[in-house]
Amino acid sequence: MTAAQPLPTLEITALEKRFGETQVLRSIDLNVRNGELVFVIGPSGSGKSTMLRCCNRLEEPTSGAIHVSGKPMLGIPRKELDRMRLQVGMVFQGFFLYPHLTALKNVTLAQRKALKRPRAEAEARALEMLDKVGLKHKADAMPSELSGGQQQRVAIARALALDPKVMLFDEPTSALDPELVGSVLKVMRDLREGGMTMIVVSHEMQFAREAADRVVFMDGGVIVEEGPPEEIFGNPKSDRLKAFLSRVSGEAA
Amino acid sequence: MDTIIDAFFNIDIMRQATPLLLKGAWVTLQLCAVVILLGLFGGLGLALLASSGSAALRLPAFVFIDIFRAIPPLILLILIYAGLPFVGVRVPPFVAVCIAFLLNNSAYFAEIFRSGIKAIPKGQMEAARATGLSPAQAQTWVILPQAIRNVLPDLLSNVVEIVKLTSIASVVSLSELLYSANMARAVTYNSSPLVMAAGLYLLLLWPLVRVISRFQRGLSISH
Amino acid sequence: MDFFNAFLNPEIIARYLPALIRAVWVTLWISVLVVISGLALGALLAGLRAYQKRWLSWPIVLFADLMRALPPLVLMLVLFFGLPSVGIILADWFVLYLILTLVLAAFVEEIFWATMTSLPRGQWEAGAATGLSFLQVLLHVIFPQSLRMNIPPLVNRSLTISKMTAYGSVIGVKEIVSVAGSAQAFSGSATPLTMAALAYLIIFYPAMLLSRYIENRFHYEH
Ligand SMILES: Nc1ncnc2c1ncn2[C@@H]1O[C@H](COP(=O)(O)OP(=O)(O)OP(=O)(O)O)[C@@H](O)[C@H]1O
Ligand SMILES: [Mg+2]
């Protein structure tokens, strides 16, 4: 790396992941620049979720390296890992809000316990984030009183409140009814405008066209092709990507 | 260390006590068979009453269930065994235990069956009635089989509880396992027979306890 | 009437009421101690087991199995009669308290463990992903949810074990059954036994109704 190049916010190097016998990721290299939105597509089982989950070590990589703003995620002590995870926000397909806590408390919990922010500061920050996702008025609602789209937006606020360097989205809208998808995508679009660095695994191709800086196509645990959205969607090179795209557009039609 | 072995794991004394304890274990097994069956049938009957549409049936069933869940089986047993002679009814220990256990176990089994029945969606009853079954037929052939399958783990737990509970029969001098072991302890001034009895209970119940834990196993925890 | 004279003789009721009330207090405070320490110990054990270290889990599982498979009365007798012969003398009430606490803890541990492992994996992961340490996830995310989901079984199990304080009579704890038993022997009447049963009804019948209410109330949705 030369000094002239700015440090990638997220740097995945030669990442491998095996589950027992099955090799799920083979030598993944992916750098995400500051403020970049990388959109990941690929057939089911191609390893997209596994790659994201390796980035904050919800899955333990078999080998390779991951750096966030130049600092290693792997081979660090447990305490340090908890601190590093604060820099990597994650949004799950299933939301996973804490059902026993209000929306506000969901957003303050890690701020208080992991970041040790004082209560007042954590709550102020939480309200600010809830406002950002359009749910300030639902601060005192329990997750069970929120729609799926609202729950997902609270989950985004929960991650954002920790001031992560990069946000990982694993099919954030796949569990939502179609009419609720838009509200979540809008929040993600706003985030991007605000300069957040993001990796998004999703099937919302329209969103990719509009918002992605780069689209990465994965299949069989490798990155088969990557490029700007217009290239990937308009001029796919590999047969596998062509097949995938025609299958997806077939489904959509 | 030696004193501990001598006080709790004295092989000689255990050997001496073996015939007595095996006899006691046999009584315990017989007792279990009787009281578990009594409790199952009593409980099922009560549960059906408690789940019935008519409040006149439901209410007494609930009162019965709650009363006999509230009173410790030990005092119930003593009351029956030591109390009935005062009104001229003398019951042998085995019968006293059976009566006390019937009252207590029915209440507990009834709660289990009842919660199982309650958990079956209303639609099941409606579907069964729509195919021309009477309420009683629907209850018997559609609701109950599902309910029982769902509460099997709880039934098994309760069976374990009952087997353990039979040890209170020792209080009314029924020569079951604990009574026999305690006799042997008193005669030998040594606790090893009690430890041996514990071993026999374990032999019987540990496998069941393992099975119960298996029933409850969920996913694994992620670190 | 014969029956009333035998089971509800007013004179005998009056004579033994004070002693029985004292016995009720003994039963109550031992029960309360047992429930508090049993719940605490059980929760602690479940928490330790969550670390999934073999050397920790193994003894905990063994402990929970033994305490659930052995009749508490047997355990009490082993301790009560056995310990003095190795030079340890424990007060009768302490033996009762100790055994019931351990038994309750075993059940509580199993109850918590079952839900902790059946909560969606995502709950653990969401916590970890926001930088919470394992202990913090356990304390602030997993444990409160397990507690809420388990209030009915915890209440039921606590009540069942509280009623086992009656076993104290076998080793001479001056609780309800033992006081009623000696009163019966002295008075030659079954009335004290009836009083004991009524005392339990007064204490535990409302508790049964309460547990019913709780069961209906705490249908916890996920
Ligand atoms: N914990 C696990 N143990 C064993 N195999 C696993 C595990 N998690 C994932 N896999 C396997 O790894 C492969 C990749 O899974 P992954 O979830 O990363 O795919 P994906 O691209 O996210 O698919 P989808 O689009 O369906 O979400 C799959 O074949 C899956 O069966
Ligand atoms: Mg996936």
Side-chain angles (χ1 to χ4, degrees):
Chain A
M1 197 186 310
T2 64
Q5 276 176 313
L7 216 52
T9 301
L10 179 70
E11 194 179 6
I12 302 173
T13 321
L15 176 66
E16 307 248 344
K17 174 64 186 174
R18 264 192 304 273
F19 287 108
E21 298 287 280
T22 41
Q23 177 111 27
V24 174
L25 297 177
R26 336 167 172 250
S27 194
I28 299 278
D29 290 295
L30 183 64
N31 288 352
V32 184
R33 289 187 321 270
N34 188 23
E36 191 182 19
L37 192 158
V38 172
F39 195 92
V40 181
I41 58 176
S44 180
S46 56
K48 308 179 297 290
S49 297
T50 306
M51 181 181 78
L52 286 197
R53 291 160 59 81
C54 281
C55 290
N56 60 4
R57 282 179 64 189
L58 287 178
E59 231 48 273
E60 205 56 50
T62 308
S63 66
I66 291 165
H67 290 82
V68 177
S69 301
K71 292 211 206 77
M73 276 301 280
L74 304 185
I76 53 177
R78 178 86 223 182
K79 271 242 163 73
E80 180 62 21
L81 173 62
D82 290 337
R83 249 196 311 278
M84 287 298 290
R85 276 174 167 167
L86 286 166
Q87 322 226 339
V88 183
M90 176 125 188
V91 176
F92 303 85
Q93 179 175 350
F95 330 140
F96 300 128
L97 290 187
Y98 310 131
H100 62 299
L101 300 177
T102 61
L104 184 75
K105 286 260 161 60
N106 261 279
V107 184
T108 53
L109 181 67
Q111 293 189 66
R112 303 277 322 272
K113 304 299 170 186
L115 278 181
K116 311 281 183 212
R117 279 185 187 148
R119 174 195 292 266
E121 187 189 337
E123 283 181 356
R125 181 86 180 132
L127 285 172
E128 185 190 333
M129 289 304 129
L130 284 173
D131 195 29
K132 201 165 181 168
V133 300
L135 289 173
K136 195 171 177 183
H137 60 293
K138 292 286 187 186
D140 293 321
M142 297 303 279
S144 58
E145 298 161 357
L146 299 173
S147 75
Q150 292 172 329
Q151 289 187 48
Q152 191 60 297
R153 279 141 69 198
V154 173
I156 294 173
R158 174 171 73 180
L160 284 179
L162 302 167
D163 306 320
K165 295 239 163 54
V166 55
M167 287 280 286
L168 312 176
F169 292 81
D170 192 2
E171 307 201 22
T173 58
S174 296
L176 297 177
D177 291 340
E179 74 270 22
L180 301 177
V181 168
S183 66
V184 173
L185 291 182
K186 174 178 181 306
V187 167
M188 292 167 65
R189 216 169 270 132
D190 291 348
L191 270 183
R192 177 190 158 53
E193 308 281 292
M196 174 58 76
T197 311
M198 300 156 78
I199 304 186
V200 180
V201 173
S202 168
H203 301 296
E204 300 293 336
M205 301 300 175
Q206 192 51 41
F207 177 80
R209 272 180 235 268
E210 295 163 16
D213 296 295
R214 188 153 47 117
V215 176
V216 167
F217 170 63
M218 284 179 73
D219 193 6
V222 294
I223 294 178
V224 177
E225 201 171 328
E226 61 179 295
E230 52 280 11
E231 281 291 307
I232 293 289
F233 295 121
N235 186 17
K237 303 209 165 43
S238 65
D239 291 340
R240 285 201 271 179
L241 176 54
K242 283 178 196 158
F244 173 74
L245 287 176
S246 72
R247 212 161 51 235
V248 178
S249 61
E251 275 165 26
Chain B
M1 194 63 209
D2 274 358
T3 47
I4 291 181
I5 289 179
D6 195 55
F8 294 100
F9 302 97
N10 190 317
I11 299 292
D12 279 339
I13 289 181
M14 284 188 178
R15 198 173 297 141
Q16 280 173 39
T18 301
L20 187 64
L21 260 67
L22 287 182
K23 228 183 273 171
W26 178 234
V27 175
T28 290
L29 284 178
Q30 290 172 303
L31 184 61
C32 288
V34 174
V35 297
I36 288 169
L37 281 178
L38 283 177
L40 276 172
F41 284 110
L44 196 54
L46 270 176
L48 288 175
L49 289 180
S51 319
S52 94
S54 134
L57 294 176
R58 223 171 35 229
L59 214 65
F62 271 107
V63 172
F64 180 97
I65 292 172
D66 284 339
I67 285 182
F68 288 105
R69 285 200 311 157
I71 299 179
L74 181 61
I75 187 70
L76 201 57
L77 175 59
I78 297 176
L79 191 60
I80 290 167
Y81 182 70
L84 285 185
F86 286 97
V87 287
V89 186
R90 196 162 275 287
V91 285
F94 194 88
V95 176
V97 173
C98 287
I99 298 173
F101 273 59
L102 174 63
L103 296 173
N104 177 261
N105 298 348
S106 302
Y108 273 90
F109 272 128
E111 261 312 276
I112 295 171
F113 285 126
R114 197 188 62 81
S115 71
I117 292 171
K118 203 174 77 177
I120 304 295
K122 269 209 169 57
Q124 290 290 321
M125 180 54 111
E126 284 161 8
R129 300 274 282 120
T131 59
L133 297 182
S134 73
Q137 285 172 323
Q139 191 74 272
T140 314
W141 301 114
V142 179
I143 308 295
L144 260 189
Q146 302 183 53
I148 290 175
R149 181 139 16 103
N150 292 343
V151 297
L152 268 178
D154 295 333
L155 291 176
L156 188 59
S157 307
N158 202 41
V159 163
V160 171
E161 290 305 304
I162 292 174
V163 175
K164 290 189 287 175
L165 193 60
T166 56
S167 63
I168 69 170
S170 59
V171 173
V172 296
S173 315
L174 182 69
S175 52
E176 47 69 73
L177 181 52
L178 180 58
Y179 182 82
S180 311
N182 203 30
M183 284 297 276
R185 174 199 62 79
V187 172
T188 59
Y189 296 106
N190 187 294
S191 293
S192 302
L194 287 174
V195 173
M196 195 177 168
L200 290 174
Y201 280 111
L202 270 189
L203 208 60
L204 184 60
L205 294 180
W206 201 345
L208 296 185
V209 165
R210 278 285 89 223
V211 171
I212 292 167
S213 285
R214 271 294 143 80
F215 271 131
Q216 297 165 332
R217 177 168 297 178
L219 310 162
S220 65
I221 289 173
S222 71
H223 276 253
Chain C
M1 225 174 91
D2 245 13
F3 181 85
F4 267 92
N5 247 334
F7 289 101
L8 285 168
N9 184 322
E11 188 209 325
I12 291 188
I13 292 181
R15 187 174 342 144
Y16 289 105
L17 196 57
L20 205 75
I21 288 175
R22 275 197 301 279
V24 166
W25 281 118
V26 174
T27 291
L28 280 181
W29 71 252
I30 295 182
S31 300
V32 169
L33 277 187
V34 164
V35 169
I36 292 172
S37 28
L39 289 175
L41 180 61
L44 178 70
L45 290 176
L48 289 176
R49 193 170 166 195
Y51 279 86
Q52 295 187 305
K53 299 267 182 276
R54 203 169 292 244
W55 55 271
L56 260 176
S57 308
W58 232 86
I60 293 173
V61 174
L62 184 68
F63 164 80
D65 276 13
L66 291 184
M67 291 300 135
R68 288 181 306 148
L70 285 169
L73 198 52
V74 174
L75 290 167
M76 276 167 44
L77 292 186
V78 170
L79 275 202
F80 187 73
F81 290 116
L83 284 186
S85 50
V86 292
I88 303 172
I89 299 194
L90 298 176
D92 46 24
W93 71 266
F94 188 76
V95 171
L96 178 65
Y97 160 77
L98 183 66
I99 295 296
L100 295 188
T101 296
L102 296 180
V103 171
L104 179 56
F107 281 101
V108 170
E109 188 276 327
E110 282 296 304
I111 291 171
F112 273 123
W113 180 250
T115 32
M116 283 164 67
T117 51
S118 61
L119 281 179
R121 227 179 126 83
Q123 288 293 325
W124 294 87
E125 294 182 346
T130 51
L132 294 176
S133 71
F134 186 74
L135 182 62
Q136 285 171 329
V137 177
L138 199 59
L139 286 182
H140 301 292
V141 178
I142 303 303
F143 201 71
Q145 291 183 56
S146 301
L147 185 64
R148 244 176 241 222
M149 294 166 75
N150 283 321
I151 283 179
L154 289 173
V155 169
N156 282 335
R157 190 53 73 176
S158 298
L159 289 175
T160 306
I161 305 256
S162 295
K163 285 185 296 164
M164 290 183 186
T165 51
Y167 296 171
S169 61
V170 176
I171 56 173
V173 181
K174 294 273 168 279
E175 49 64 68
I176 298 175
V177 177
S178 106
V179 168
S182 39
Q184 178 240 329
F186 271 115
S187 64
S189 158
T191 301
L193 298 179
T194 318
M195 291 168 71
L198 289 177
Y200 279 111
L201 268 186
I202 290 169
I203 301 171
F204 287 106
Y205 194 83
M208 290 299 147
L209 295 183
L210 179 74
S211 87
R212 250 183 222 300
Y213 168 77
I214 287 172
E215 218 151 295
N216 292 331
R217 173 86 220 277
F218 278 82
H219 258 306
Y220 190 62
E221 312 275 326
H222 232 290

